[in-house]
Amino acid sequence: MDIIRRSSATATFRSLRQKDWEKISFLNSSNATRNIGIIAHIDAGKTTTTERMLYYSGYTRRIGDVDDGSTVTDFLPAERARGITIQSAAITFNWPPVQGEKGSKDIPSSSRAPGTPRSQTPHLVNLIDTPGHADFTFEVLRSLRILDGAVCILDGVAGVEAQTEKVWTQANNYRIPKIIYVNKLDRDGAAFGRTVKEVGVRLHGWPALCQIPWWKDGKGKLIGVGDVVNLRALSWEEGGDGKVIKSLNLTDVDDAFAKEIKKARVALIEILSEHDDEMVEKFLEYDEDHLAIPGNDLTESLRRCVLQNPQRIIPVFTGASFRNLGVQPLLDAVLDLLPSPEERPDPEISMGVTHSRLNELLAGRLALTSSPQSSKSGKQKTSPTKTQKTLPVVSNLQACALAFKVVNDPRRGVLVYVRVYSGSIDRNAALYNTNLSITERAPKLLRMYASDAVEVDSIAAGHIGVIVGLKYARTGDTLIVYSGANPKSGPPAPLNTLQLRPISVPPPVFFTSVEPNSLSEEKLVSDTLGLLLREDPSLNVSIDSESGQTHLAGMGELHLEIARDRLINDFKARATTGKIEIGYREAILSSSPQITEDVNREVAGKHSRASCTVSVSPLDGTEPRVIEEDDDSTHTSLQVESNDLIIHHPTYTRSGLKLSPDSANLPEHLPLPSIVTALRTGISAALSRGPTHGFSMHSTLVEVHLDPAQIHADSTPAAISTAVRLATQKAVKSAAAERGTVLMEPVMLVAISVNEADIGGVAHDISAARGGQVLSLDGEISSPVSPSATLTTSTSTFPTLHTVKEDFPPIDPRKIYTPPDPFASTDGGEDDDLIGTGSAQRRIVARVPLREMVGYLKHLRSLTGGRGTFVMSVEGFERMSAQRQKAVLKELGGGEGW
Ligand SMILES: Nc1nc2c(ncn2[C@@H]2O[C@H](COP(=O)(O)OP(=O)(O)OP(=O)(O)O)[C@@H](O)[C@H]2O)c(=O)[nH]1
């Protein structure tokens, strides 16, 4: 029997000083780095597992506990109070632990002996802990896009839950290699086998069991795991901190367990051979002896399979983090099986209408292809390639990074977490923000260990770090360093529009009012709201032009509750917030004539004037959302939330060139891009309040006809915004006077998991009592979206529910090997049948108006004896019937608006 001590015994990671860090230079190489996320259903044990990772890697001296609020990663007061993770915490540690302090000779070498796994040499792990609650899906998404790999934690009692499926699908969309950790196997009712079969059926991949649970005498007490890859058993001392692991040969464990490990080994080789030719060769090389192939060959084969796209093999590990059992081998698996930044696909970029890949750009091989878009006339046009001739020197592009998270730290100020994709960001570098078109300096750079930090001089490609001192950068912004750029005007076009993997922000569906308690509080409240928006772009702040009231809108009730908590408890803003309500939208039904509005007035002692001509018309949901354009187009199209905006500038190209020497000039201080920004601001304000009920406008096409003669030498952006706002308001009113407006309501795509016995009652309740439309039972979409529905915004965050079948053919659970479950009431065969037919647990997918889903969890629980769960995301907005509209208006106060 061997004792394995894969945890820090002497030095803590934190105790390494800056100069020691520099000495461990291999840790800075990106192939010794893992940027990993932990994804799972709420309460599966992400935070509990992360705390153990920090402890075993030597970063913490005691294990934090979710239940007594002492964890490192859930560090927001609101998170600690609720025991859930709200904000992704990015933390860095190394694994296996660096044992030497002060850069001594104890620091191991980076070189790996042939035939040994990667986990034998120290790596730098950047771990992103993502929230599990559905309201924070956006938070999960923006973390996902910077990850190179993910560990998906499952609750071994509950199995694969609805939220897990959703996040898994999202991770598939980003092509993120994943491994699974089945947690909580110490609990009564733990069902490893059933969970593994659910992985196959619901996550559409073949589970490759790298470990199986070791139950004492085959009964329900978990004492360790069987290591299928290395043919050994690992045990942890009961009640200990888990640092010491005993490794036993198969001859030293009871026969039944040894036999099961061998059975699992055969199954593992079989499944790998189906997906990896090299494994077939190994199998033949070792005379078709499943037990003779060395463990490291299996690890290499697993790695190749995990990196395949699409990923069909899902390595499975197991344990009980709360009992300090199973976490170190999981960390080894992160290094052994998940990719380094260098092994990831070239990141997607966009520059204006061009879509390409970052390394293509850097290598000067930019393929300038536009995303397929159609014109309003429906005609397809081939993509332009003209930008090539104007492409500036790319070798001056010294760094390209994505700000994936902004956090206001009470001690350090605003922290901007970045993932660097190329080059390196050095201290004091001038960062050009391509979303905001501004340059900011990066005065201080940090590497974060949850709430602790080490200052560094630079953050290199492949790494995650923090920039302190940026005043404007927001979550989701792309930051570039371009040598020789003028700090005012930024890098040359089109590099100044370079964006890394942009994600679309779903429309907020709930809102609340925020009222400062006194005039003197107004500034703090507005600054704090500004900061909340920098942190979380899925929040939205608007000011009702009539009542002057501030509205804070978000994705869900919990989302807004947390924002409210942050505002009042964390930032100590003195404000009163209203009830959380559904954010309906208002739409016009007919078009307006062209309306011109002149502004000619004194503002702050300065004379300013501008005119604008605007018309509006309804979008009926069948119109394409974006019209094709290139730098030579004589219009600019933009989207203002769910409304389209087209600015016609017949005498100028989109890039600001005058088409004929005879056409009127634009004033020098107002180039076309500044005018477009001013127009957008004014139109956005006008559309934030509908003419009849005061809800913001939806499905409106606003067309501005820009005549340079209307922009004068004394015009200002503010005057242009005001003129266009007034003109749009008048145009909307005129359209509403013709045929009125209609209310639109958010409609959710809902996935409900229930037991077989409850399916009829729940489906009936959805369609009869809640006006929902059942789309599928068990993931089979019976009918697409209702043809009568006016869905003008499709924002579903799990659209692949519709495509799962074609991407991944169904997996027959009878073909998945699993060891017996100690708590199983039926034998394995019957259980297989249950899972295969979906009789064990059924899933209903439906479209339901959000209004009918408020308080649904409680109702579902009562319908299903507490067993039903559901997830939902916004699918779009739909016009309401006259009857529903009447009911809603009555509820809101007699149809007089608010
Ligand atoms: N019995 C048992 N309980 C566990 C285990 N792991 C976690 N728990 C408990 O499960 C609950 C949820 O654990 P968390 O670690 O907060 O789960 P999470 O996935 O981070 O949850 P969110 O942050 O809300 O997304 C806590 O009460 C933990 O103590 C385990 O291995 N065994």
Side-chain angles (χ1 to χ4, degrees):
M1 183 187 73
D2 292 331
I3 300 289
I4 309 174
R5 207 181 268 276
R6 291 188 68 71
S7 50
S8 168
T10 50
T12 67
F13 187 51
R14 223 173 351 169
S15 64
L16 293 174
R17 290 183 302 213
Q18 169 76 34
K19 65 181 171 56
D20 303 319
W21 273 98
E22 281 154 16
K23 281 188 190 149
I24 317 171
S25 56
F26 63 89
L27 286 177
N28 282 324
S29 93
S30 67
N31 65 19
T33 298
R34 299 288 181 275
N35 295 314
I36 300 302
I38 296 191
I39 57 174
H41 188 278
I42 190 162
D43 274 0
K46 292 185 301 291
T47 310
T48 304
T49 308
T50 307
E51 290 297 319
R52 271 70 188 169
M53 290 178 169
L54 294 176
Y55 180 68
Y56 298 132
S57 63
Y59 168 65
T60 51
R61 286 186 188 276
R62 56 179 282 274
I63 300 175
D65 189 341
V66 182
D67 304 311
D68 68 19
S70 61
T71 63
V72 174
T73 50
D74 285 354
F75 57 86
L76 288 179
E79 289 182 298
R80 288 197 165 154
R82 287 177 170 80
I84 57 165
T85 309
I86 295 151
Q87 291 205 338
S88 301
I91 42 170
T92 302
F93 60 90
N94 75 329
W95 185 259
V98 173
Q99 300 288 339
E101 213 168 346
K102 297 176 189 148
S104 73
K105 58 183 179 332
D106 293 334
I107 292 173
S109 115
S110 67
S111 53
R112 180 160 67 101
T116 59
R118 285 165 180 76
S119 50
Q120 293 296 312
T121 55
H123 284 62
L124 200 66
V125 181
N126 292 310
L127 185 78
I128 317 291
D129 186 24
T130 54
H133 194 282
D135 277 9
F136 303 101
T137 298
F138 178 74
E139 178 94 7
V140 179
L141 275 186
R142 69 178 170 70
S143 304
L144 280 182
R145 68 177 169 160
I146 56 119
L147 299 182
D148 297 326
V151 175
C152 176
I153 300 187
L154 300 179
D155 176 334
V157 179
V160 175
E161 293 164 277
Q163 177 70 11
T164 317
E165 275 182 82
K166 183 171 161 179
V167 185
W168 186 271
T169 306
Q170 288 163 340
N172 276 347
N173 292 345
Y174 284 100
R175 299 181 175 186
I176 295 170
K178 302 168 285 303
I179 60 175
I180 278 183
Y181 175 68
V182 182
N183 188 31
K184 299 200 183 182
L185 286 196
D186 60 315
R187 287 181 57 201
D188 274 2
F192 178 76
R194 196 198 66 218
T195 303
V196 166
K197 287 189 191 277
E198 284 179 12
V199 166
V201 174
R202 297 183 151 207
L203 304 183
H204 312 278
W206 287 100
L209 300 196
C210 300
Q211 293 177 340
I212 57 170
W214 187 4
W215 314 104
K216 193 171 181 201
D217 305 324
K219 304 208 176 87
K221 189 171 163 56
L222 187 78
I223 53 171
V225 300
D227 178 349
V228 181
V229 174
N230 299 301
L231 291 172
R232 58 183 181 167
L234 302 175
S235 82
W236 281 260
E237 190 198 349
E238 191 182 348
D241 68 358
K243 275 191 174 175
V244 176
I245 308 168
K246 283 184 200 160
S247 168
L248 295 104
N249 293 325
L250 295 196
T251 46
D252 298 332
V253 299
D254 66 274
D255 281 356
F257 187 52
K259 225 166 124 191
E260 200 60 52
I261 295 178
K262 290 179 192 164
K263 212 168 146 190
R265 180 51 123 78
V266 173
L268 182 58
I269 301 232
E270 295 289 316
I271 195 71
L272 287 174
S273 303
E274 279 176 35
H275 294 85
D276 177 37
D277 292 344
E278 284 187 50
M279 180 44 78
V280 178
E281 280 168 30
K282 284 282 163 200
F283 185 54
L284 298 175
E285 187 185 322
Y286 285 90
D287 298 329
E288 305 190 12
D289 181 352
H290 294 90
L291 305 183
I293 303 174
N296 196 48
D297 288 328
L298 265 77
T299 303
E300 289 300 317
S301 173
L302 281 159
R303 185 181 182 80
R304 282 189 294 275
C305 290
V306 168
L307 299 196
Q308 278 170 9
N309 180 41
Q311 183 187 345
R312 295 290 281 147
I313 293 283
I314 308 173
V316 177
F317 296 82
T318 190
S321 300
F322 186 66
R323 305 278 166 213
N324 306 327
L325 191 160
V327 176
Q328 297 97 323
L330 177 66
L331 278 167
D332 286 347
V334 163
L335 308 191
D336 288 336
L337 305 185
L338 294 176
S340 72
E342 287 173 11
E343 290 165 298
R344 293 289 289 146
D346 190 1
E348 289 163 37
I349 54 162
S350 73
M351 287 195 302
V353 291
T354 300
H355 293 257
S356 187
R357 303 224 165 234
L358 183 61
N359 289 322
E360 287 289 299
L361 170 73
L362 294 173
R365 293 191 305 265
L366 181 59
L368 287 163
T369 51
S370 300
S371 57
Q373 296 159 354
S374 50
S375 67
K376 286 267 160 181
S377 62
K379 278 188 214 138
Q380 293 280 340
K381 231 172 85 175
T382 47
S383 47
T385 51
K386 304 172 189 112
T387 326
Q388 204 131 27
K389 60 179 186 278
T390 58
L391 202 60
V393 190
V394 283
S395 56
N396 286 359
L397 189 61
Q398 290 183 338
C400 183
L402 186 75
F404 68 93
K405 179 186 175 191
V406 174
V407 165
N408 185 48
D409 182 290
R411 276 180 294 155
R412 299 187 188 87
V414 177
L415 309 179
V416 177
Y417 284 75
V418 291
R419 156 94 199 235
V420 181
Y421 282 91
S422 75
S424 80
I425 293 184
D426 299 332
R427 185 150 24 108
N428 274 327
L431 297 171
Y432 184 76
N433 183 322
T434 61
N435 298 72
L436 296 174
S437 310
I438 50 162
T439 303
E440 298 191 76
R441 291 247 163 228
K444 195 169 169 186
L445 307 175
L446 300 176
R447 212 165 239 180
M448 285 303 283
Y449 310 99
S451 47
D452 248 321
V454 168
E455 209 169 324
V456 290
D457 291 333
S458 71
I459 309 167
H463 288 276
I464 282 169
V466 169
I467 308 178
V468 192
L470 296 183
K471 288 205 175 62
Y472 302 100
R474 306 162 307 174
T475 295
D477 286 351
T478 298
L479 308 172
I480 60 175
V481 179
Y482 190 87
S483 64
N486 175 337
K488 279 214 171 119
S489 55
L495 286 180
N496 57 356
T497 60
L498 194 157
Q499 308 253 307
L500 277 159
R501 298 181 174 171
I503 45 171
S504 55
V505 181
V509 286
F510 282 98
F511 77 96
T512 182
S513 58
V514 181
E515 197 86 61
N517 287 356
S518 67
L519 270 181
S520 59
E521 290 295 317
E522 248 174 33
K523 186 167 173 346
L524 177 64
V525 171
S526 116
D527 289 353
T528 308
L529 286 174
L531 201 52
L532 284 182
L533 291 196
R534 276 182 76 193
E535 287 183 0
D536 179 358
S538 63
L539 286 171
N540 186 296
V541 172
S542 61
I543 300 192
D544 187 297
S545 54
E546 228 150 85
S547 63
Q549 208 173 42
T550 303
H551 287 165
L552 177 65
M555 303 308 303
E557 286 169 291
L558 183 60
H559 189 208
L560 277 184
E561 260 177 45
I562 300 291
R564 196 158 65 178
D565 261 24
R566 299 268 291 134
L567 181 75
I568 290 161
N569 298 334
D570 298 354
F571 291 98
K572 311 279 178 237
R574 290 207 190 88
T576 312
T577 55
K579 218 167 85 198
I580 295 181
E581 295 179 55
I582 293 179
Y584 296 99
R585 304 288 196 269
E586 204 170 327
I588 46 172
L589 296 165
S590 57
S591 304
S592 76
Q594 287 198 355
I595 292 191
T596 302
E597 191 68 22
D598 296 307
V599 165
N600 194 346
R601 61 183 178 204
E602 298 256 319
V603 179
K606 264 183 137 181
H607 187 246
S608 176
R609 64 188 170 132
S611 307
C612 275
T613 304
V614 171
S615 61
V616 297
S617 49
L619 288 168
D620 65 7
T622 54
E623 290 282 320
R625 305 290 302 167
V626 186
I627 50 172
E628 187 177 6
E629 59 194 29
D630 56 33
D631 284 352
D632 296 340
S633 300
T634 53
H635 63 260
T636 302
S637 72
L638 301 165
Q639 259 185 284
V640 180
E641 300 199 348
S642 51
N643 305 289
D644 283 1
L645 162 59
I646 302 178
I647 300 160
H648 300 277
H649 34 77
T651 57
Y652 274 81
T653 67
R654 192 172 176 270
S655 55
L657 290 178
K658 207 161 77 160
L659 282 171
S660 147
D662 306 331
S663 16
N665 285 325
L666 286 170
E668 217 163 84
H669 70 286
L670 279 174
L672 191 62
S674 311
I675 297 175
V676 167
T677 307
L679 290 171
R680 191 198 159 98
T681 309
I683 289 168
S684 174
L687 297 181
S688 68
R689 191 183 165 88
T692 321
H693 306 292
F695 290 108
S696 51
M697 299 293 296
H698 194 284
S699 306
T700 320
L701 170 66
V702 182
E703 291 184 79
V704 180
H705 305 268
L706 184 71
D707 177 358
Q710 291 178 317
I711 311 289
H712 311 280
D714 53 358
S715 287
T716 58
I720 297 170
S721 282
T722 308
V724 82
R725 176 169 57 78
L726 296 174
T728 310
Q729 277 168 348
K730 275 194 182 165
V732 168
K733 271 196 183 135
S734 133
E738 188 86 8
R739 283 185 58 205
T741 59
V742 65
L743 279 193
M744 296 183 78
E745 64 178 334
V747 176
M748 312 303 284
L749 191 58
V750 187
I752 309 163
S753 299
V754 290
N755 279 352
E756 170 75 40
D758 299 321
I759 195 158
V762 172
H764 181 261
D765 175 65
I766 283 289
S767 47
R770 290 170 197 276
Q773 181 194 7
V774 173
L775 298 177
S776 86
L777 297 174
D778 279 330
E780 308 225 13
I781 305 292
S782 57
S783 76
V785 169
S786 142
S788 60
T790 310
L791 283 177
T792 50
T793 320
S794 185
T795 53
S796 166
T797 41
F798 52 146
T800 43
L801 269 179
H802 299 265
T803 55
V804 150
K805 293 271 154 189
E806 51 198 64
D807 289 344
F808 299 105
I811 284 176
D812 180 352
R814 280 166 288 226
K815 294 194 177 146
I816 300 174
Y817 155 79
T818 56
D821 278 336
F823 299 100
S825 53
T826 56
D827 69 25
E830 252 175 77
D831 212 25
D832 285 358
D833 289 346
L834 287 178
I835 289 160
T837 57
S839 304
Q841 265 237 317
R842 299 283 297 266
R843 189 174 63 155
I844 305 168
V845 178
R847 300 177 65 249
V848 191
L850 175 60
R851 179 165 173 254
E852 309 304 330
M853 293 305 292
V854 173
Y856 182 65
L857 186 60
K858 213 166 142 202
H859 185 70
L860 180 66
R861 292 259 151 96
S862 75
L863 279 181
T864 59
R867 288 183 300 268
T869 57
F870 77 98
V871 287
M872 62 180 182
S873 56
V874 187
E875 166 142 315
F877 282 81
E878 191 170 297
R879 284 186 186 174
M880 291 168 85
S881 65
Q883 205 187 355
R884 279 189 73 77
Q885 178 163 326
K886 211 166 142 199
V888 164
L889 291 173
K890 193 164 166 222
E891 211 174 82
L892 293 169
E896 282 145 23
W898 38 273

